[in-house]
Amino acid sequence: MPSAQQLLETLVSHATVSRDSNLKLIEFIEGYLDDYGVPYTRIENDDGSKANLLARIGPDVAGGVVLSGHTDVVPVDGQPWTSDPFTLTNKGDGRLYGRGTCDMKGFIACALAQVPHWVEQNLDRPIILAFSYDEEVGCLGAPRLIERLMADYPRPAAVIIGEPTLMAPVVAQKGITTLRTTVTGREAHSSQVNQGVSAIHVAARLVMKIEDIMAELRDAGRVDESFNVAHSSLHVGKIQGGTAINIMARECRFDWEIRHLPQDGFDEVIASFNDFAEGLERELKQRAPQVSIRTEKLIETVPALADRDNREALSLYHALLGERDSEAVAYATEGGQFQRAGLSTVICGPGSIAQAHQPDEYIEVSQLEAGGDFMRRLGDYLSAG
């Protein structure tokens, strides 16, 4: 039976960057599960180029535990790696290097390594493996996976999202929405500023409003100190516009994001921006009727995970790993999507998020061992009746 490290070596060797297919990795996992007689279901995307995977170890009854992990990884382009990112590398420093080692193929490897033992244990309640595609580009695969889980499986008691938390229990995360705002102005010679409307200047006012909204939320006391950034955050990451320095720009667009606290919600935060943009557009149309401000979602809102309705998942964590203070994180996961489906959800996995998406990404060998210990305890717990 392969160890977690051996399985991680194979998982890392599959370069499942989100822009590419993950099917070779899914096929490997399916073959591995076949070896132990574990039933599974593949859930493909629209064009069949990617797939989620659901698998059940144990009886087809309610009260099981879902182990959720994403199979895709972020790109390595332009990063100064000192080893092949898609070859698991042990440099003798207690770390295993490779893209996805901590985010989050280490968790998947820990789960798969325990499958043969879970099969032999004759579990009283099932362990359900839920492996998704395209988490890194907006949690796109999980909705289909969750829909099939809720339709075809008896209701599980808890979901563990295996993102890297150093095995701490994370009970809350911010939601995220990515947006693009496009401003259309009226071109004119830059010496005749009274004849045109610069889309860049308008965009600048909107960008400043975005920062003002963030400050207003903070100043109004809309904070949650359990997060390291205690308020909803708004950030413009990319802006492009104009054709020449002496032409008032006809178009400017910028890409931005809202990471909202669970108690704020996307709709409430975006409303303030939309009200300002609509008023600004009305004002500018009096000078140039063709002026417009349009905002679209690049990716649908990934819901926040709120610290609520998670008693079953937290009780499971405490039973396996003992009492420990719960945490909150600013990054997005699929946790909010499982919670939205009514499932008790906690984030917990081996490795540190500080290593995710970095060159020379790694997982500590000790963290891989901690993940394996969690999986062993889970099997024992679900065999206890």
Side-chain angles (χ1 to χ4, degrees), residues 141-151 334 337-338 341 343:
R144 291 186 180 196
L145 181 149
I146 294 168
E147 181 181 12
R148 183 66 66 86
L149 171 70
M150 301 302 289
E334 296 165 339
Q337 294 169 312
F338 281 93
L343 298 176

Side-chain angles (χ1 to χ4, degrees), residues 60-114:
D60 189 21
V61 299
V65 175
V66 176
L67 301 177
S68 169
H70 63 81
T71 62
D72 61 318
V73 297
V74 297
V76 300
D77 308 55
Q79 293 187 334
W81 284 74
T82 59
S83 59
D84 181 353
F86 298 110
T87 298
L88 190 68
T89 302
N90 188 341
K91 300 180 181 180
D93 57 359
R95 300 170 176 175
L96 301 172
Y97 294 85
R99 175 56 87 222
T101 47
C102 76
D103 188 18
M104 53 182 298
K105 291 179 177 179
F107 175 81
I108 294 175
C110 288
L112 292 177
Q114 201 62 24

Side-chain angles (χ1 to χ4, degrees), residues 3 16 33 37 86 94 146 219 226 245 267-268 316 328 350 377:
S3 67
T16 50
L33 296 175
F86 298 110
I146 294 168
D219 295 345
S226 61
I245 195 170
D267 292 336
E268 187 173 357
L316 171 68
R377 296 185 184 199

Side-chain angles (χ1 to χ4, degrees), residues 209 270-282:
K209 179 60 178 178
I270 193 66
S272 181
F273 174 83
N274 287 339
D275 289 345
F276 178 81
E278 290 167 7
L280 183 58
E281 184 185 72
R282 285 194 302 270

Side-chain angles (χ1 to χ4, degrees), residues 6 8 66 70 73 113 127 160 168 170 193 230 251 266 289 311 319 347 366:
Q6 290 170 328
L8 182 57
V66 176
H70 63 81
V73 297
I127 294 171
I160 304 296
V170 170
V193 293
E251 184 175 282
F266 167 75
R311 180 179 59 81
I347 306 168
S366 60

Side-chain angles (χ1 to χ4, degrees), residues 4-15:
Q5 184 168 330
Q6 290 170 328
L7 287 162
L8 182 57
E9 182 177 11
T10 300
L11 296 176
V12 168
S13 72
H14 291 279

Side-chain angles (χ1 to χ4, degrees), residues 51-319:
N52 301 308
L53 192 69
L54 277 172
R56 189 194 76 250
I57 304 100
D60 189 21
V61 299
V65 175
V66 176
L67 301 177
S68 169
H70 63 81
T71 62
D72 61 318
V73 297
V74 297
V76 300
D77 308 55
Q79 293 187 334
W81 284 74
T82 59
S83 59
D84 181 353
F86 298 110
T87 298
L88 190 68
T89 302
N90 188 341
K91 300 180 181 180
D93 57 359
R95 300 170 176 175
L96 301 172
Y97 294 85
R99 175 56 87 222
T101 47
C102 76
D103 188 18
M104 53 182 298
K105 291 179 177 179
F107 175 81
I108 294 175
C110 288
L112 292 177
Q114 201 62 24
V115 165
H117 306 283
W118 290 334
V119 169
E120 292 177 353
Q121 283 181 289
N122 293 316
L123 303 174
D124 294 326
R125 288 171 287 163
I127 294 171
I128 300 167
L129 306 179
F131 300 150
S132 64
Y133 65 85
D134 280 359
E135 188 271 352
E136 295 288 7
V137 291
C139 298
L140 303 182
R144 291 186 180 196
L145 181 149
I146 294 168
E147 181 181 12
R148 183 66 66 86
L149 171 70
M150 301 302 289
D152 294 353
Y153 289 68
R155 187 179 186 83
V159 178
I160 304 296
I161 308 291
E163 293 281 358
T165 68
L166 294 172
M167 300 305 298
V170 170
V171 296
Q173 66 166 71
K174 292 183 178 180
I176 184 173
T177 309
T178 57
L179 306 123
R180 172 170 293 162
T181 296
T182 302
V183 179
T184 302
R186 182 168 68 184
E187 287 175 313
H189 194 285
S190 62
S191 67
Q192 305 298 310
V193 293
N194 60 331
Q195 301 298 314
V197 174
S198 169
I200 291 176
H201 286 218
V202 176
R205 293 173 66 178
L206 293 166
V207 170
M208 292 305 300
K209 179 60 178 178
I210 286 170
E211 189 154 332
D212 289 344
I213 292 170
M214 183 166 57
E216 290 164 4
L217 290 168
R218 182 185 63 238
D219 295 345
R222 304 288 290 273
V223 297
D224 183 341
E225 296 295 344
S226 61
F227 290 90
N228 66 335
V229 177
H231 51 82
S232 294
S233 61
L234 294 80
H235 167 73
V236 178
K238 184 178 178 181
I239 189 166
Q240 182 178 5
T243 55
I245 195 170
N246 60 349
I247 301 174
M248 297 181 73
R250 191 187 75 84
E251 184 175 282
C252 183
R253 63 178 179 271
F254 56 89
D255 296 348
W256 55 297
E257 67 175 22
I258 297 173
R259 294 181 182 264
H260 65 271
L261 294 175
Q263 59 266 39
D264 282 348
F266 167 75
D267 292 336
E268 187 173 357
V269 177
I270 193 66
S272 181
F273 174 83
N274 287 339
D275 289 345
F276 178 81
E278 290 167 7
L280 183 58
E281 184 185 72
R282 285 194 302 270
E283 171 193 331
L284 295 172
K285 277 184 175 293
Q286 296 177 17
R287 291 171 52 189
Q290 63 267 54
V291 169
S292 69
I293 301 170
R294 297 289 178 267
T295 297
E296 60 183 317
K297 289 183 180 180
L298 296 179
I299 297 174
E300 281 298 312
T301 300
V302 177
L305 175 67
D307 184 10
R308 58 172 172 77
D309 305 327
N310 54 17
R311 180 179 59 81
E312 293 89 347
L314 263 180
S315 295
L316 171 68
Y317 176 92
H318 293 148

